Amino acid sequence: MITDLVRKNRSYRRFYQEVPITLETLKELVGLTRHCASGGNLQPLKYILSCDSEKNALIFKHLAWAGYLKDWEGPSEGEKPSAYIIVLGDTNITKSFGCDHGIASQTILLGATEKGLGGCMIASIERKELQEALIIPGHLEILLVLALGKPKETVVVENVGSDGDIKYWRDSQAAHHVPKRSLNEIIWK
Amino acid sequence: MITDLVRKNRSYRRFYQEVPITLETLKELVGLTRHCASGGNLQPLKYILSCDSEKNALIFKHLAWAGYLKDWEGPSEGEKPSAYIIVLGDTNITKSFGCDHGIASQTILLGATEKGLGGCMIASIERKELQEALIIPGHLEILLVLALGKPKETVVVENVGSDGDIKYWRDSQAAHHVPKRSLNEIIWK
């Protein structure tokens, strides 16, 4: 069961923008993180939720999409995310967030996947500009932006080839191919 | 469903040590991480698996347990983990692992939970000593140790009180209490 969910949970970057995600759904997803592990149980993460078109547009313009796809500038109108969860680190609690945002973000995306949604963890962010646009106070550090929506693309996981190249790519049908390392490669003997 | 799994997945520190975990199970759990997101899809994580008593003992002595429980030095013989997964960052691939180890470790622990197992992400590690004890080459950086076993303790999640204290504690019945912040506190308006 978790295997199916983990496999289904791909990084999606094109969505049925017309399918809305409610604030209630975003709260439910963030609610999952309350039950996650956190270094020293400090729980320093805060979340900004966005599911209206105006706020979404503000966020969208400060994100970079799919670094390896040089000819693609990101989802076009109609295929943009319906919602975002911005993951922040509260520096009033700690200066060091360890991997708490990874634990929380994976949990949120697994929850979204179960609901038939999908998304992408974006770390390539114009942080200063986004911080100003949303009037985020300085003690909250932008760690990740999770883009969410109903996925509108096919993602194919395949094995890394003999050249060792891990760059994802799109085929002529616009299917997104993601090379993943073998179990043999990642287990250290 | 994922909600149940996330809630059931607590940080456990005492186990039925006599219940073994097979190498096959550890491989299956690490196999889940092959389908996880990774910054730039670099997949820099490597894993060391341990499920025999000799290797387990080597690992155990370089871990610190439950920092807030000052009177408890860690699980005693009979309650120690049956297995470990050491999460390493391969600096030949990148020097910056982002939160990849959080994404992967949460996935492994959710997988373990589904199997009726449980564990704890441990970051308080005598890294240099463990690196030497297991003859881990210098280009592999120890990020986390995941302790795994069949849980032998009750963990109670409760709301952080008005004093804001997030330190976990044990009651007279040795149940482990973990204060978690409210949804209201972690959502930034």
Side-chain angles (χ1 to χ4, degrees):
Chain A
M1 183 285 306
I2 185 74
T3 304
D4 295 336
L5 208 55
V6 169
R7 283 172 179 256
K8 205 174 157 194
N9 174 31
R10 311 313 324 142
S11 292
Y12 292 107
R13 296 176 179 87
R14 286 177 293 166
F15 305 94
Y16 291 96
Q17 191 174 337
E18 70 277 16
V19 179
I21 297 179
T22 66
L23 196 61
E24 220 34 63
T25 296
L26 296 181
K27 283 184 181 174
E28 200 184 315
L29 294 174
V30 168
L32 289 173
T33 72
R34 290 189 59 237
H35 300 271
C36 286
S38 167
N41 198 39
L42 291 176
Q43 309 161 69
L45 303 183
K46 300 271 189 291
Y47 303 89
I48 289 176
L49 314 182
S50 174
C51 56
D52 70 77
S53 53
E54 199 179 334
K55 200 169 173 184
N56 284 354
L58 265 182
I59 297 170
F60 179 81
K61 66 179 179 184
H62 297 301
L63 306 177
W65 292 82
Y68 296 135
L69 304 181
K70 297 300 178 196
D71 297 334
W72 190 67
E73 294 190 345
S76 49
E77 199 55 37
E79 296 189 340
K80 291 180 179 171
S82 308
Y84 296 94
I85 295 174
I86 304 179
V87 184
L88 307 162
D90 188 339
T91 61
N92 285 345
I93 297 176
T94 179
K95 310 293 181 211
S96 159
F97 308 105
C99 61
D100 276 19
H101 45 310
I103 298 169
S105 297
Q106 175 70 345
T107 305
I108 287 172
L109 283 174
L110 290 172
T113 301
E114 190 181 55
K115 289 178 183 298
L117 302 171
C120 188
M121 301 183 201
I122 300 177
S124 190
I125 306 160
E126 294 175 342
R127 285 179 164 74
K128 189 167 167 289
E129 292 79 358
L130 182 57
Q131 194 113 15
E132 286 171 3
L134 295 183
I135 319 172
I136 303 172
H139 74 282
L140 298 176
E141 188 181 314
I142 298 172
L143 300 174
L144 286 173
V145 173
L146 311 183
L148 294 165
K150 185 173 160 57
K152 195 183 182 176
E153 64 180 353
T154 303
V155 176
V156 184
V157 172
E158 45 201 26
N159 293 325
V160 171
S162 55
D163 60 358
D165 192 354
I166 48 69
K167 290 195 283 295
Y168 45 77
W169 55 283
R170 282 220 188 125
D171 66 22
S172 57
Q173 309 298 310
H176 188 82
H177 294 254
V178 184
K180 288 294 192 186
R181 301 187 193 280
S182 70
L183 188 59
N184 210 36
E185 184 179 351
I186 63 175
I187 293 179
W188 184 258
K189 312 293 173 183
Chain B
M1 179 282 308
I2 184 75
T3 304
D4 294 338
L5 208 55
V6 170
R7 283 171 179 258
K8 204 172 158 194
N9 173 30
R10 312 310 328 141
S11 291
Y12 293 107
R13 296 175 179 88
R14 287 176 293 167
F15 306 94
Y16 292 96
Q17 190 174 339
E18 70 277 15
V19 178
I21 296 180
T22 65
L23 196 60
E24 219 36 61
T25 296
L26 296 180
K27 284 184 182 175
E28 199 184 316
L29 293 175
V30 168
L32 290 174
T33 73
R34 290 189 60 238
H35 300 273
C36 286
S38 166
N41 198 38
L42 291 175
Q43 308 161 69
L45 303 182
K46 300 270 190 289
Y47 303 88
I48 289 176
L49 314 182
S50 174
C51 56
D52 69 77
S53 54
E54 198 179 335
K55 200 169 173 185
N56 284 353
L58 264 183
I59 296 169
F60 179 81
K61 66 179 178 182
H62 297 299
L63 305 177
W65 293 81
Y68 296 136
L69 305 180
K70 298 299 179 196
D71 297 334
W72 190 66
E73 294 190 346
S76 49
E77 199 56 36
E79 297 189 340
K80 291 181 180 172
S82 308
Y84 296 94
I85 295 174
I86 304 178
V87 184
L88 307 162
D90 188 338
T91 61
N92 284 346
I93 296 176
T94 179
K95 309 293 179 211
S96 160
F97 307 107
C99 61
D100 276 20
H101 45 311
I103 298 169
S105 298
Q106 174 71 343
T107 305
I108 287 172
L109 284 174
L110 289 173
T113 302
E114 190 180 57
K115 289 178 183 298
L117 302 171
C120 190
M121 302 184 201
I122 300 176
S124 191
I125 307 159
E126 294 175 341
R127 285 179 164 73
K128 188 167 167 289
E129 292 78 358
L130 181 56
Q131 194 113 15
E132 285 172 5
L134 295 183
I135 317 170
I136 302 172
H139 73 282
L140 298 175
E141 187 181 314
I142 298 173
L143 300 175
L144 286 172
V145 173
L146 311 182
L148 294 164
K150 185 172 160 58
K152 196 186 183 176
E153 65 180 351
T154 303
V155 175
V156 184
V157 172
E158 45 202 25
N159 294 326
V160 171
S162 54
D163 60 357
D165 192 354
I166 48 68
K167 290 195 284 294
Y168 44 78
W169 56 283
R170 281 220 189 126
D171 67 23
S172 57
Q173 309 298 310
H176 187 81
H177 295 254
V178 184
K180 289 294 192 186
R181 301 188 193 279
S182 70
L183 188 59
N184 210 37
E185 184 181 350
I186 63 176
I187 293 180
W188 185 258
K189 313 293 174 183

